C-alpha cells in the first residue's frame, strides 16, 4: 500500500525554514516563517504566559477531557477579545481547534457539509495553506484580486469588481488584519464598500484573524471583523493565539460561526463539535487555558497587553527603519510602502532571481514571492538587508 504514495507538494514556507536551519553561515538572516523574534533573535515565552503556566501548575488538579468544543470559557474570552460587543452571544457557535490552521480546516469542512457546491474565494495572493487545504478537501476555490503589485497596495477597485461576481452562498475568505503575505491592508474607510459588495452578492464572509494586536493594536485590528459582525447576516471567523500570545507550538485556535438567528444555533454548534470528533476528537487544552486565564485576570491581562504592544511597536519601528534605509540605499521611494504596511509581513515586490541571490550571496532568507518577516530583523540587520537589496535589484 505505502508504495502507492507519491510525493506531496512541499510547503514553501516550511521548506525555507529547513533550508535556513541547514545553512552553516554564521551571519545568516531568517526573514521566512511568520514567527516573532526579539532583538536577540529569540522567540520568548511571554511573561503573562509564564505566570499563567505557573498558576496552572499549582492549581490544576486534573488532565481529564474537557469537551469536544473545548472549554466554553475559552471561546467566551476569545469572543470578547475579537468581537467586543458586536455580536449577539446567542447567535455564536464556537469550537476550540488545534491552532488557527485547525480553525481554518474545520471552517472549510463546515462549509463543505453545509453546501458542497459553494466556492471559497481567496485573496490573490493569500497564505499558501488556504488553497492547499481546499485542494486537499477537493472543494471549489477561486481568487479575487487583492494586491496591486505595481504599488504594493490593496487593489480595492479590482477586489470589489471580483467580489461582485461571487455567487449567492459562496464563501469569501478575508484576512482580518495584517494581510499575509503582502502586509497591505484595507483602510477602515474601505470596510463598508467591501461589506456592501459581499452583502449584495449574498456571500458568506470567512475571516482569518491570526495577527490581532500586531498591526495597529488589539481593537483596531479587530475593526474589520467587528464591522462584518455588525452588518453581515452569517459569517465564520477563524482565530489563532499562536502569534499574539506567542504560544505557537501549543496549537491554540478557535472557530466561530455566527448566524442571523438563534434557531439553528444548536445544529451548527453540534456540527462543529462533530467535526472536531471526526478529525481529532478533543482540541488541545493547555494553550487555551493559559489564554483564558490571562484574558480573565486583570493583572495578567494588563501585562500581556503591554508586552504585545511593545512587540507591535518594536516591529513598527523596524519597518520605519527599513523604509528609511531602503530609501537611502536605493536612492528611490520605491520601497516607501514598507512603512505603510502593517503586521509581520511585507511583500517587497522584487523578482525571484533577486530573492535567490539574497539567499545565495548574502545568506538572507525570505519566501520566494519576496515576503519578509519584519520580526526577523533587528537594528543591526536592517542596514545589511537594505544594502543587499540595493545590490540585487
Ligand atoms: C507563516 O505564514 O509564515 C505562518 O503563518 C506560519 C505558517 O504556518 O505558515
Amino acid at each position: 500500500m505505502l508504495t502507492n504514495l507519491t510525493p506531496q507538494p512541499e510547503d514553501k514556507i516550511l521548506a525555507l525554514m529547513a533550508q535556513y536551519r541547514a545553512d552553516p553561515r554564521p551571519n545568516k538572516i531568517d526573514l521566512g516563517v511568520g514567527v516573532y523574534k526579539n532583538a536577540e533573535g529569540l522567540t520568548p515565552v511571554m511573561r503573562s504566559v509564564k505566570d499563567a503556566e505557573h498558576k496552572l501548575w499549582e492549581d490544576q488538579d486534573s488532565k481529564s477531557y474537557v469537551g469536544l468544543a473545548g472549554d466554553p470559557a475559552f471561546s467566551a474570552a476569545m469572543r470578547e477579545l475579537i468581537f467586543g460587543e458586536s455580536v449577539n452571544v446567542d447567535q455564536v457557535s464556537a469550537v476550540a481547534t488545534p491552532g488557527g490552521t485547525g480553525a481554518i480546516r474545520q471552517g472549510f469542512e463546515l462549509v463543505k457539509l453545509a453546501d458542497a457546491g459553494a466556492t471559497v474565494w481567496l485573496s490573490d495572493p493569500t497564505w499558501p495553506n488556504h488553497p492547499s487545504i481546499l485542494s486537499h478537501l477537493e472543494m471549489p476555490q477561486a481568487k479575487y484580486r487583492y494586491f496591486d503589485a505595481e504599488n504594493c497596495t490593496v487593489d480595492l477597485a479590482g477586489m470589489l469588481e471580483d467580489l461582485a461576481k461571487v455567487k449567492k452562498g459562496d464563501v469569501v475568505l478575508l484576512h482580518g488584519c495584517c494581510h499575509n503575505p503582502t502586509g497591505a491592508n484595507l483602510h477602515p474607510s474601505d470596510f463598508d464598500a467591501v461589506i456592501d459588495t459581499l452583502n449584495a452578492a449574498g456571500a458568506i464572509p470567512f475571516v482569518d484573524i491570526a495577527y490581532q494586536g500586531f498591526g495597529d493594536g488589539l481593537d483596531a485590528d479587530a475593526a474589520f471583523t467587528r464591522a462584518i459582525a455588525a452588518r453581515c447576516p452569517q459569517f465564520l471567523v477563524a482565530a489563532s493565539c499562536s502569534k499574539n500570545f506567542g504560544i505557537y507550538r501549543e496549537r491554540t485556535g478557535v472557530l466561530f460561526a455566527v448566524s442571523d438567528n438563534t434557531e439553528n444555533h444548536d445544529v451548527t454548534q453540534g456540527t462543529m463539535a462533530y467535526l472536531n470528533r471526526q478529525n481529532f476528537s478533543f482540541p488541545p487544552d493547555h494553550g487555551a487555558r493559559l489564554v483564558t486565564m490571562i484574558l480573565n485576570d486583570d493583572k495578567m491581562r494588563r501585562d500581556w497587553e503591554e508586552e504585545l504592544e511593545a512587540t507591535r511597536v518594536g516591529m513598527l519601528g523596524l519597518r520605519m527603519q527599513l523604509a528609511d534605509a531602503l530609501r537611502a540605499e536605493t536612492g528611490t521611494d520605491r520601497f516607501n510602502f514598507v512603512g505603510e504596511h502593517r503586521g509581520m509581513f511585507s511583500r517587497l515586490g522584487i523578482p525571484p532571481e533577486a530573492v535567490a541571490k539574497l539567499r545565495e550571496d548574502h545568506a538572507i532568507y525570505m519566501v520566494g514571492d519576496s515576503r519578509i518577516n519584519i520580526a526577523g530583523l533587528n537594528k543591526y540587520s536592517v542596514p545589511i538587508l537594505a544594502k543587499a537589496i540595493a545590490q540585487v535589484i
Side-chain angles (χ1 to χ4, degrees):
M1 172 197 77
L2 297 177
T3 48
N4 294 335
L5 294 174
T6 52
Q8 296 298 326
E10 64 176 4
D11 183 288
K12 294 200 170 56
I13 299 171
L14 304 187
L16 186 76
M17 210 167 141
Q19 222 183 338
Y20 173 81
R21 281 192 182 142
D23 187 334
R25 289 174 287 183
N27 58 342
K28 59 187 178 178
I29 298 175
D30 178 15
L31 308 179
V33 69
V35 171
Y36 172 73
K37 294 195 212 106
N38 63 18
E40 286 76 46
L42 303 172
T43 305
V45 181
M46 293 178 87
R47 296 184 302 262
S48 53
V49 169
K50 277 278 187 207
D51 286 348
E53 281 187 317
H54 193 110
K55 196 164 172 347
L56 189 63
W57 182 81
E58 279 176 348
D59 295 350
Q60 193 170 50
D61 49 19
S62 175
K63 293 277 188 194
S64 178
Y65 293 126
V66 176
L68 283 179
D71 181 1
F74 168 64
S75 308
M78 288 299 290
R79 190 189 63 229
E80 281 162 26
L81 181 71
I82 297 167
F83 297 113
E85 303 285 309
S86 63
V87 281
N88 176 350
V89 175
D90 298 331
Q91 293 167 359
V92 183
S93 302
V95 284
T97 56
T101 310
I104 291 286
R105 166 73 187 248
Q106 297 300 81
F108 287 163
E109 292 218 28
L110 190 69
V111 170
K112 193 174 176 181
L113 270 187
D115 181 359
T119 296
V120 179
W121 292 74
L122 304 173
S123 66
D124 183 15
T126 192
W127 183 50
N129 219 13
H130 289 146
S132 173
I133 296 174
L134 287 169
S135 302
H136 179 66
L137 292 172
E138 298 179 347
M139 290 173 66
Q141 58 178 293
K143 289 178 193 171
Y144 61 88
R145 273 172 287 169
Y146 181 80
F147 191 56
D148 171 354
E150 186 86 1
N151 300 302
C152 293
T153 53
V154 176
D155 172 8
L156 183 66
M159 178 179 183
L160 295 178
E161 213 177 293
D162 288 352
L163 292 185
K165 293 184 210 137
V166 166
K167 275 198 329 290
K168 188 170 181 325
D170 277 357
V171 172
V172 175
L173 196 119
L174 301 146
H175 296 228
C177 61
C178 307
H179 186 265
N180 180 6
T182 66
N185 297 294
L186 290 171
H187 190 270
S189 60
D190 304 333
F191 294 168
D192 274 342
V194 172
I195 293 170
D196 287 344
T197 309
L198 293 171
N199 283 343
I204 316 285
F206 184 172
V207 180
D208 181 356
I209 181 158
Y211 295 90
Q212 189 184 358
F214 272 33
D216 289 310
L218 280 169
D219 286 322
D221 291 349
F224 186 37
T225 311
R226 291 176 189 174
I228 288 171
R231 297 196 45 212
C232 297
Q234 287 189 12
F235 60 94
L236 305 178
V237 175
S240 169
C241 302
S242 297
K243 328 279 165 161
N244 51 8
F245 286 87
I247 50 173
Y248 305 85
R249 66 177 68 162
E250 301 296 353
R251 309 313 299 138
T252 308
V254 56
L255 173 69
F256 295 102
V258 186
S259 133
D260 52 345
N261 60 59
T262 49
E263 280 155 34
N264 64 347
H265 175 270
D266 290 351
V267 177
T268 307
Q269 181 64 49
T271 306
M272 289 161 72
Y274 161 84
L275 284 172
N276 271 10
R277 181 65 167 163
Q278 305 320 304
N279 283 331
F280 46 79
S281 204
F282 300 92
D285 180 70
H286 185 74
R289 201 153 291 273
L290 301 175
V291 167
T292 312
M293 290 168 73
I294 294 168
L295 291 178
N296 290 336
D297 177 282
D298 286 348
K299 190 163 166 287
M300 283 194 280
R301 183 169 182 143
R302 213 175 309 118
D303 191 34
W304 170 67
E305 288 190 10
E306 273 172 28
E307 194 171 359
L308 177 62
E309 183 61 6
T311 302
R312 183 184 79 79
V313 170
M315 285 190 290
L316 201 53
L318 288 167
R319 267 190 187 287
M320 299 308 168
Q321 200 196 333
L322 180 60
D324 288 346
L326 283 167
R327 207 173 301 117
E329 289 293 344
T330 63
T332 71
D333 289 342
R334 171 175 168 181
F335 293 103
N336 274 6
F337 60 82
V338 170
E340 308 291 319
H341 286 172
R342 285 296 179 273
M344 261 193 146
F345 306 116
S346 265
R347 184 186 265 196
L348 295 179
I350 60 175
E353 309 80 63
V355 172
K357 260 186 122 28
L358 285 169
R359 192 173 57 246
E360 286 153 18
D361 301 348
H362 300 270
I364 296 173
Y365 285 73
M366 63 184 67
V367 183
D369 64 356
S370 72
R371 181 193 87 169
I372 58 167
N373 172 12
I374 295 285
L377 292 166
N378 58 41
K379 64 178 176 196
Y380 305 107
S381 55
V382 166
I384 299 172
L385 174 65
K387 212 182 252 324
I389 289 174
Q391 275 176 28
V392 300
I393 55 173

